[in-house]
Structure formats: C-alpha cells, structure tokens
Amino acid sequence: MQKNDKLERRPRRRVLIVDDEIIDRQLLKAIVSRKYEVLCAESGEEALETIRSQPLSLVLLDLIMPGMNGYEVLRAIRKDPALRQLPVIVLTAEKDAEVETLRLGATDFIPKPFYMPEVILARIDRSIELAEDKLIISGAETDPLTGLYKQDFFLHYARQLDRFEPDLPMDAVVLNVNRFHLVNELYGRAFGDSLLREIGSILRRLVQGTPGLAGRTASDTFVLYLPHREDYEASLLAPLAAAGGAPGRARATVRVGIYPLAAKSADLEQRLDRANLACSRLRGNYATACAYYDTSTHEEELREERLISGMETALQERQFRVFYQPKYLIQGSRPVLASAEALIRWFHPERGMIPPASFIPLFEQNGLISRLDHYVWREVAEQIRAWKDRYDFSVPVSVNVSRVDLFDPGLEDTLREVLDACGLEPSEYLLEITESSYTDHAEQLVETVRRLRALGFQVEMDDFGTGYSSLNMLTALPIDTLKLDMGFIRNIASSPKDLRMVELMLDLAKFLAVPVVAEGVETEEQYRLLKNAGCELIQGYYFSRPVPPEEFALLIEKELKERESDAQNGADQTGRNESC
Ligand code: C2E
Ligand code: CA
Ligand code: CA
C-alpha cells in the first residue's frame, strides 16, 4: 500500500523512443504518450546521449539503424553501472533477433509493425513496474532504518519533481543531530537507531500527502525537498524537540537549516548546500533550532569564500601577524610577567585588520587551520628565539592548537621540528587546547595530550567552563593549567553569585593541583578579587591587550628592569613560581 502511494505521488514517468524511421516513431509516440511522457531519438548516438543526461523509466529501442545500431546501444547501457537497471524493450521486425537481444539484456520485445496499442502499453507498464519493484526489493531506494530515500534516489526524484513541477515553490531543508556520536556512545546504538527512526517518521509525516520528498543522506543527516511552507516551528521543530527523550537521559537535539523558496536557477545540490550552510551556522548551539538561508547568508558565504581563497596569498604576502598578550603571576608582591599567548591577526589589504573570530572557525571547518597554525607556531618559535638572544630571557609563549591539529598524526613531529629549528626546549612552548575538544573525542585526545606532555610540552585547557568536562574526566585529564573562560570573569565585580562560581572553580583546580589562568581581566577590581580568591595567573586588558612583538618587547624590558631593582632591594620579587 505504501508503495502504491509513493508511485502515485511520483511525477509522470518518461519513456524514450529510439527509431530511425519517422513513421515508426510517430506511431509509437501516439500510443505511448497516452500514458507516459515521451522523448524521441533518431539514432543510437542520440539515444545514448539522452539516456545519460536524464532519468528515464524505459527505453523502446529499434535494432536496425544506420550508424550505431540497437545492439550496440543495448550493450552500452548494460555495461554502464548507472544505467544497468534501466528497462529496455526492443522493437524489431526480425523474429530471429529475439533471443540475441534478450541475451544482451533486453527486458522484452515488441514486434513490428505496431498494432494492438493496448498490448504495447501493457508490456511497457509491466516492464517499468518490474524494474521499479526490483529496485524497491533490492532495498536500493530507501534506507532500511528510516524508510526514507537514500541520497541518490532522493536527488533523482527531487530532480524529476523539478522537471514536472517547475513552478511549484520549493524549500530545501537539511537536518543534523547534534553530537550524534556522543548520543551513540553514551546511550548505546539501539537508542541512537530509535532516535533516527523517530526523526524519520516525523519527516515522513511532514511530506505525506504532498509531492515533497524526505531522505537520509548520512548517518545523522536528513534532507527534505518539499513545497514551500511557513509553519516549520510547529510542524517540524516542535515534534523534533519532543523526540529523542528517554527517562534519565539528556534529550538529543537537532539542528535544521532551511533554504526557503529555493532558487531553481541553482542546481539541486547547490540548493541543499545552502540549507546545509544555514544548518552549520547552528553548530555549537545545542538546543533544537532552525536557521534560514537568506541573502545575507549568501553575502556572508561569498565573503567567507573570499577569505578562504585568499589565505594562501595572505600567507605568502605575510598579511598574517602574530600578536602577543602577556600573562602575569599575581600572588607575589608585584605582578610578574610569566608567559604570553600568541594570537593571530589578519591585516587584509582591502578589509583592514580582521580578527581571528572571523576566519579561524572558517578555516577549522575545511582543515586550512593547520596551515595557519603551523605558520603561527614557526613565527612564535622564531620570536622566542629572538627575545632570548636579545634579552637572555625566555618568555614561554602559548599557541592555540585547533582540534584539527590534534588529529594530525604528524603533530608531534611538526612541533619538534619547529622547536629544533630555533634551538628551543618544549618547556618554552605552551599549548592551549580548548575544553570542548576534550569532551568531543575524549579518549583519543587524552592519549595525544599525554604524548605531548611526555615530550615536555605544557598543556593549558583553554576556555575552561564552556565545555562539558565532568569532574571524573577532569581528574583523569593530563593538563598543566586551567584557563578559566572570560565569561566567568566578566561580572564578578557586580555579581556575588558569579564571584562565588569563580571561587568554586579555583577550589576545584586546587583539588586537582593545577594552577588557573583567569582570562579577560579588564579592571582593577576584577584583578583584586581574583588575587584575593587565590588565582595564580591573569591575562587581560587590565595588563595589556594583545600587542605586536615590538610592543611586547617593551613589557619584557620593563620586567627585566623590575627584576633588577627587586634584586637590589632584596624584595620578594616573584610570584609563587617562575613559569606557569
Ligand atoms: P582565545 O584562545 O580564548 O583567546 C583569547 C581571546 O580573548 C583573544 O581574542 C584575546 O584578544 C581576547 N582577550 C584577552 N583579554 C581580553 C579582555 O580583557 N577582554 C576581552 N573582551 N577580550 C580579551 P582574539 O585575539 O580575538 O582571538 C579569538 C580566538 O581566536 C581565540 O580565543 C582563539 O580561539 C582563536 N585564535 C587566535 N589566534 C589563533 C591561532 O593562531 N590559532 C588558532 N587555532 N586559533 C586562534
Ligand atoms: Ca587561547
Ligand atoms: Ca580562551
């Protein structure tokens, strides 16, 4: 029953007639077009071109033609894996040809001259039905878990729909389960599967009774191509938000990207890409939510595309510059310069200074970030070397390590090479790894970090408090410093609750025996509160913004002078330890 529903909703099927005789073509066309859309080809060559350029339900093929004959066409169809399933009925006046053509893979045979139109139509119907049944039986068309179309078939039917309903306004929609691998890992595959099935039935319900189509194109990616509607909040988001719940489990959530009134001038894949782009903008947002693709998204996409394509030139022309922001030890009698963080800036010839937040996430998506990070790492090593030579003073510098870098098997070698080239020790180099990297790929990452630390690198957990580390996980993590995310610091002066939160985190860090860097400290008051609460290290505008190396050199010079005068006065010159 379900099958018939589906067949009826499909657009009219398309049949190709291949015959060099105009009379035969016209005769057959008159019969077939009663029920099917008909295309005609006059030669074998033209036939193959048509067959390869569009989806067809059946070919009626004359055997005897000048040039490429029917046998050759048939052979070519059967040799092509993409066309192998296409039913072909052979037309010929020669009785003897029957066996040969069936052997070559013809589905059936219609004798010439054509009479009894009903019989001809019945044979065509039967061949098409058989071929479609075969596809369905082989399970090739739908995904067994959700019953939705697999990618190829989804695209195929969506294209047909466009062809037959060119004026119907359509929406392209892409859905993705947030952190699906975690859902599987935490709650088991059976739960993951039932979640996917649940999503599948919500999508099926949405397109039921419409010409719309629903598909599953990857493990946790779903697509819809359906007549335009305005009620996605109620018809899609609400049921999705209610799905995937089970007692004692966090609810799984879904992000949805919608390209409404998708422009048919763009090809189908492009339209789905745009929905996908809107969807990917919700990454990092962990509630069930939807985003729309619109012209501003498009402009942003273009801007981003230009940044991506401009990166290589920018590297060559040294448009990227590394800035340094100091970190100070604050528990001694005066703040002591302990280390710095390297932060990249892009000085674009047309757009001026571009902050990293505008391009780092972009480069992270496509892997370009590794190129850029490696560049930064080399620049930083050279800079540390230069300062060491000039001041006989080593400022350890921390570099940001993207999660993409962490899965690069050559990571350790790259870092070693960078240091060796400048004659530096791993202890002079700190690595900042953001907390969410740990929670996403815990085991593999912990292993990598362990190896890096064994080589002598110090590892700081960046943006601490924004990820999902459990206490359990924290105690098992191999890290040297926690970097408290600046979101926690922002309101400590005005909100006692926020201050209490920071104090709790500092207690936690004490329990784990790791020092804490507070990031984003902007005011004297924040500084004082953190100092009283026992925070060891501070980074923020209160001391200095990230500055170019020439300016950072002044901070080094100031530090050296103070050390000198401390030594002369015999004062307690430093904080609790020399480096962080
Ligand atoms: P992050 O690693 O959390 O870096 C700290 C950010 O806080 C920096 O922003 C810094 O300028 C800013 N900041 C420092 N003190 C204060 C303060 O007192 N108040 C406020 N409001 N902000 C402060 P920036 O330089 O814009 O960098 C943003 C993010 O870009 C960084 O966040 C980091 O995730 C990424 N990033 C920067 N450089 C690199 C790099 O070379 N490689 C990679 N992979 N990521 C980088
Ligand atoms: Ca950082
Ligand atoms: Ca941070």
Side-chain angles (χ1 to χ4, degrees):
M1 199 221 89
Q2 215 182 2
K3 186 188 99 190
N4 284 343
D5 271 6
K6 193 171 62 198
L7 293 184
E8 260 139 46
R9 277 212 313 276
R10 254 184 233 162
R12 242 155 70 102
R13 290 177 193 70
R14 179 175 287 199
V15 171
L16 173 69
I17 298 173
V18 189
D19 203 314
D20 59 316
E21 297 283 345
I22 183 159
I23 307 278
D24 284 349
R25 279 202 308 274
Q26 296 299 0
L27 254 172
L28 209 48
K29 187 173 178 183
I31 299 170
V32 180
S33 59
R34 280 197 235 156
K35 198 158 174 194
Y36 295 97
E37 192 192 276
V38 173
L39 295 175
C40 292
E42 296 175 22
S43 67
E45 291 84 355
E46 191 192 339
L48 274 185
E49 204 171 295
T50 311
I51 291 167
R52 293 202 169 112
S53 66
Q54 59 200 297
L56 294 169
S57 292
L58 180 105
V59 178
L60 294 167
L61 179 66
D62 182 24
L63 281 181
I64 314 298
M65 293 183 290
M68 189 182 210
N69 64 34
Y71 294 101
E72 291 166 286
V73 175
L74 192 52
R75 218 173 277 126
I77 292 175
R78 292 298 172 244
K79 249 186 16 212
D80 186 337
L83 303 174
R84 204 167 282 155
Q85 310 285 347
L86 179 64
V88 178
I89 297 182
V90 158
L91 317 165
T92 183
E94 289 174 58
K95 232 4 208 150
D96 297 347
E98 192 170 346
V99 177
E100 172 66 2
T101 49
L102 290 177
R103 202 178 56 75
L104 279 177
T107 321
D108 203 351
F109 186 85
I110 294 178
K112 280 186 178 185
F114 309 123
Y115 57 103
M116 296 180 48
E118 298 313 323
V119 175
I120 291 177
L121 270 181
R123 288 191 146 177
I124 294 175
D125 286 352
R126 201 182 56 130
S127 290
I128 292 180
E129 215 170 282
L130 269 175
E132 289 184 353
D133 278 355
K134 219 155 85 190
L135 277 182
I136 292 165
I137 291 164
S138 72
E141 198 170 47
T142 55
D143 149 44
L145 184 68
T146 61
L148 303 184
Y149 286 120
K150 289 184 184 168
Q151 167 141 313
D152 288 355
F153 289 90
F154 175 85
L155 294 174
H156 174 80
Y157 292 129
R159 284 202 185 94
Q160 278 196 343
L161 192 58
D162 276 347
R163 205 165 294 127
F164 290 100
E165 305 265 16
D167 300 324
L168 188 64
M170 301 294 287
D171 297 344
V173 181
V174 171
L175 299 92
N176 219 286
V177 181
N178 289 317
R179 302 168 162 239
F180 184 64
H181 61 282
L182 277 188
V183 173
N184 268 336
E185 218 169 276
L186 291 173
Y187 308 129
R189 281 199 73 94
F191 178 75
D193 283 356
S194 79
L195 172 69
L196 297 175
R197 267 195 298 269
E198 216 176 327
I199 296 172
S201 53
I202 292 170
L203 303 191
R204 230 187 351 260
R205 274 202 301 278
L206 190 69
V207 295
Q208 224 154 38
T210 79
L213 302 158
R216 181 164 82 118
T217 52
S219 67
D220 64 337
T221 308
F222 295 83
V223 284
L224 289 166
Y225 189 59
L226 75 177
H228 175 63
R229 54 197 301 158
E230 302 267 346
D231 65 344
Y232 285 109
E233 280 292 332
S235 64
L236 184 61
L237 272 277
L240 283 175
R249 288 167 179 166
R251 199 174 278 285
T253 58
V254 182
R255 54 177 184 273
V256 182
I258 302 173
Y259 178 23
L261 303 170
K264 294 198 182 168
S265 52
D267 39 275
L268 183 66
E269 264 112 339
Q270 214 173 353
R271 281 173 264 159
L272 289 164
D273 278 351
R274 288 177 181 174
N276 195 29
L277 186 76
C279 183
S280 64
R281 300 219 175 274
L282 293 168
R283 195 165 286 158
N285 166 344
Y286 293 120
T288 290
C290 76
Y292 285 83
Y293 181 92
D294 56 21
T295 41
S296 71
T297 324
H298 184 57
E299 273 158 25
E300 204 176 323
E301 191 189 4
L302 288 176
R303 235 189 343 262
E304 291 182 352
E305 194 48 46
R306 279 195 283 269
L307 287 184
I308 291 170
S309 60
M311 188 194 88
E312 207 47 55
T313 320
L315 276 175
Q316 278 157 22
E317 294 180 356
R318 301 186 67 81
Q319 293 170 12
F320 291 106
R321 289 203 65 197
V322 181
F323 276 37
Y324 295 83
Q325 187 177 32
K327 300 179 203 174
Y328 282 89
L329 278 163
I330 58 165
Q331 291 299 336
S333 58
R334 67 162 179 90
V336 172
L337 177 63
S339 59
E341 176 175 9
L343 293 157
I344 193 149
R345 270 95 187 91
W346 185 346
F347 290 89
H348 196 278
E350 284 134 39
R351 293 171 55 181
M353 204 277 272
I354 309 177
S358 307
F359 57 88
I360 298 277
L362 208 61
F363 294 169
E364 265 169 346
Q365 277 167 33
N366 56 22
L368 280 178
I369 189 67
S370 294
R371 280 277 284 142
L372 192 63
D373 279 345
H374 293 182
Y375 173 82
V376 173
W377 300 349
R378 269 192 297 276
E379 289 283 303
V380 167
E382 282 167 21
Q383 189 60 67
I384 301 175
R385 181 75 254 165
W387 284 331
K388 218 171 151 175
D389 292 346
R390 182 159 157 207
Y391 298 113
D392 193 23
F393 177 68
S394 177
V395 193
V397 176
S398 61
V399 293
N400 288 286
V401 180
S402 298
R403 76 190 74 187
V404 180
D405 302 324
L406 290 166
F407 293 98
D408 170 9
L411 173 67
E412 289 152 68
D413 288 344
T414 310
L415 282 168
R416 273 239 69 107
E417 277 161 30
V418 164
L419 293 186
D420 287 349
C422 297
L424 298 177
E425 290 304 316
S427 59
E428 293 167 281
Y429 218 72
L430 314 175
L431 307 175
E432 294 194 11
I433 299 176
T434 185
E435 185 192 9
S436 54
S437 302
Y438 285 91
T439 35
D440 278 352
H441 304 276
E443 271 167 39
Q444 193 180 347
L445 202 87
V446 167
E447 200 34 54
T448 309
V449 172
R450 213 165 255 142
R451 281 202 311 274
L452 290 169
R453 288 182 79 222
L455 286 176
F457 291 101
Q458 296 196 39
V459 175
E460 299 192 352
M461 187 195 259
D462 202 357
D463 308 321
F464 177 64
T466 56
Y468 290 83
S469 307
S470 63
L471 191 56
N472 258 349
M473 195 172 140
L474 276 178
T475 53
L477 277 183
I479 42 163
D480 299 282
T481 310
L482 282 181
K483 253 189 125 169
L484 207 51
D485 187 67
M486 66 179 83
F488 292 100
I489 310 300
R490 195 162 298 130
N491 298 320
I492 51 171
S494 56
S495 155
K497 221 166 101 192
D498 283 22
L499 178 60
R500 185 72 203 117
M501 184 75 186
V502 168
E503 286 168 350
L504 284 175
M505 297 219 198
L506 289 168
D507 283 349
L508 173 68
K510 203 173 282 163
F511 167 73
L512 297 170
V514 286
V516 170
V517 185
E519 203 172 7
V521 179
E522 295 184 350
T523 66
E524 164 95 40
E525 172 131 47
Q526 288 170 337
Y527 162 71
R528 204 178 38 73
L529 289 168
L530 286 162
K531 183 168 177 173
N532 289 342
C535 178
E536 279 94 345
L537 284 146
I538 273 182
Q539 177 183 348
Y541 296 171
Y542 173 64
F543 284 118
S544 166
R545 289 181 175 260
V547 291
E550 316 79 79
E551 247 178 85
F552 193 86
L554 303 178
L555 298 176
I556 298 178
E557 286 169 15
K558 181 164 168 264
E559 174 67 26
L560 291 176
K561 271 198 202 107
E562 282 178 356
R563 286 193 183 196
E564 212 171 292
S565 93
D566 286 344
Q568 278 165 9
N569 300 335
D572 161 24
Q573 48 169 303
T574 62
R576 285 216 295 267
N577 47 12
E578 276 288 324
S579 76
C580 51

